Amino acid sequence: MVHAKKLKITALITGGAGFIGSHLSDFLVGKGYRVICMDNLLTGKIENIKHLLKDKNFEFVKHNVTKYINVKGRVDYILHFASPASPADYLKYPIQTLKVGSLGTHKALGLAKEKRAVFLLASTSEVYGDPLVNPQPETYWGNVNCIGPRGVYDEAKRFAEAITMAYQRYHAMDTRIVRIFNTYGERMREDDGRAIPNFIGQALKDIPITIYGDGSQTRSFCYVSDMVGGIYNLLISSVSEPVNIGNPDEMLLLDLARLIIRLSRSKSKIVFKELPVDDPKVRRPAISKAKKLLRWSPKVGLKEGLSKTIEYFAGGKSGDTIPISLHKISRK
Ligand code: UDP
């Protein structure tokens, strides 16, 4: 059982030892919040938060949030980030992914209702599936194959959005939904299977860079400090409908591979492998809603963010020293 102290503003982050969750933990502790970080360490890592373990405003609890969540005392914010999030991870853990998106979101919402806490759901651009419109605005309903291999993540997150809206409407809860687009930076696992860690790991070893398909698919990559700034602005706003957070700078995967080879001065060649089933052909966030309602837009360019990430992978650093860019917001 966790004892939340009385006075400090307390945020519970599920998935707090994961890539984005651990950066959020840093950010909120830095802002003077008390943070309870909950994670079952299926894909998260203690290394990501070990520098916070001695902080009196930080507490780690190993728990699987698909089971009842017991927290004593005050909780002001619940940020629900628990889930495998890379395609390789959710293909490896399909049932866990479905359970944490459905049962886990239900438990986290139940706790938020009990504590009268603001609830923020980490949703995803995967709710748009293999999109037929580009860029994707929040009003687009998506093109998802519910029985395909990616369906376990896409449908779990779509369910999570639906139950969050139902709790908001039926229980008059204060909720937020962030649709997170491709994000990268320090603390990504080198073996998480995503394009950026794969390409950087391969480039640093001068071994072939594996492009799936012909590299003509597009993605738009957001540096993690920008992502955390956007999530925070949403958290403290009063915007209850979903908001896309991501970097709209869209590029071909082939160009991403070439850029990483150049920035890491690698001798790697590019090889082409089979494209995974239902791999989206394009992805780019429409961010006018975030710009207008949250006064947020990304600040870190791809070259700058990739250079920091390459340095992290090359040096095996802990990743706890990156400056988090602050995004000003005018409160109502
Ligand atoms: N990809 C690739 N080579 C890799 C890993 C990924 O070409 O070694 C491709 C993948 O097929 C997709 C894009 O890179 O088209 C981004 O994949 P990622 O796993 O990073 O995330 P996604 O955007 O698909 O969720």
Side-chain angles (χ1 to χ4, degrees), residues 63-87:
H63 181 68
N64 180 341
V65 296
T66 63
K67 307 261 160 51
Y68 187 83
I69 309 170
N70 208 347
V71 179
K72 271 217 158 169
R74 167 179 185 165
V75 179
D76 303 277
Y77 295 101
I78 296 180
L79 297 92
H80 182 42
F81 277 70
S83 178
S86 88

Side-chain angles (χ1 to χ4, degrees), residues 85-88 90 125-126 150 153 182 188 192-199 202 209-213 215 217-219 221 253 256 274-276 279-280 283:
S86 88
Y90 55 73
S125 54
E126 282 282 328
R150 296 174 88 104
Y153 185 62
N182 292 69
M188 291 188 97
D192 93 350
R194 280 187 270 213
I196 288 185
N198 271 9
F199 292 177
Q202 292 159 344
I209 304 255
T210 54
I211 286 200
Y212 302 157
Q217 70 270 44
T218 70
R219 293 293 185 275
F221 296 98
L253 256 290
L256 174 73
E274 205 179 327
L275 191 66
D279 197 277
R283 186 180 288 151

Side-chain angles (χ1 to χ4, degrees), residues 27-216:
F27 184 82
L28 293 181
V29 167
K31 278 202 159 291
Y33 287 64
R34 182 178 141 71
V35 170
I36 303 168
C37 164
M38 197 167 267
D39 206 300
N40 69 348
L41 302 177
L42 180 70
T43 56
K45 286 193 304 187
I46 279 289
E47 286 75 17
N48 289 341
I49 49 156
K50 72 169 186 298
H51 58 287
L52 287 169
L53 291 172
K54 282 195 194 110
D55 197 307
K56 65 180 188 336
N57 289 321
F58 183 83
E59 186 177 349
F60 172 69
V61 182
K62 188 162 185 273
H63 181 68
N64 180 341
V65 296
T66 63
K67 307 261 160 51
Y68 187 83
I69 309 170
N70 208 347
V71 179
K72 271 217 158 169
R74 167 179 185 165
V75 179
D76 303 277
Y77 295 101
I78 296 180
L79 297 92
H80 182 42
F81 277 70
S83 178
S86 88
D89 284 346
Y90 55 73
L91 295 180
K92 188 169 168 197
Y93 303 114
I95 314 283
Q96 290 93 329
T97 302
L98 282 158
K99 283 176 75 179
V100 75
S102 54
L103 306 178
T105 306
H106 180 228
K107 295 287 177 288
L109 277 163
L111 181 68
K113 176 158 125 329
E114 168 71 23
K115 301 290 181 185
R116 296 177 200 276
V118 173
F119 178 84
L120 183 144
L121 172 69
S123 185
T124 167
S125 54
E126 282 282 328
V127 299
Y128 302 121
D130 187 4
L132 304 177
V133 298
N134 195 37
Q136 296 81 54
E138 290 86 349
T139 47
Y140 179 50
W141 289 358
N143 177 39
V144 172
N145 173 8
C146 63
I147 56 165
R150 296 174 88 104
V152 299
Y153 185 62
D154 303 9
E155 294 297 355
K157 290 293 187 181
R158 287 169 71 96
F159 173 89
E161 287 201 12
I163 193 171
T164 299
M165 292 306 293
Y167 266 66
Q168 183 206 115
R169 292 185 183 119
Y170 190 75
H171 293 303
M173 276 176 55
D174 205 0
T175 62
R176 320 270 179 265
I177 297 175
V178 56
R179 291 187 180 151
I180 297 173
F181 282 67
N182 292 69
T183 304
Y184 70 97
E186 292 85 338
R187 301 190 193 143
M188 291 188 97
R189 289 192 346 256
E190 197 177 327
D191 66 348
D192 93 350
R194 280 187 270 213
I196 288 185
N198 271 9
F199 292 177
I200 294 178
Q202 292 159 344
L204 290 174
K205 294 188 200 97
D206 291 322
I207 61 175
I209 304 255
T210 54
I211 286 200
Y212 302 157
D214 62 4
S216 65

Side-chain angles (χ1 to χ4, degrees), residues 229 233 236 294-296 299 325-331:
N233 281 11
I236 62 168
L294 310 179
R295 306 246 180 280
W296 174 88
K299 307 264 180 297
S325 53
L326 288 169
H327 301 266
K328 291 214 161 49
I329 184 168
S330 45
R331 279 173 180 267

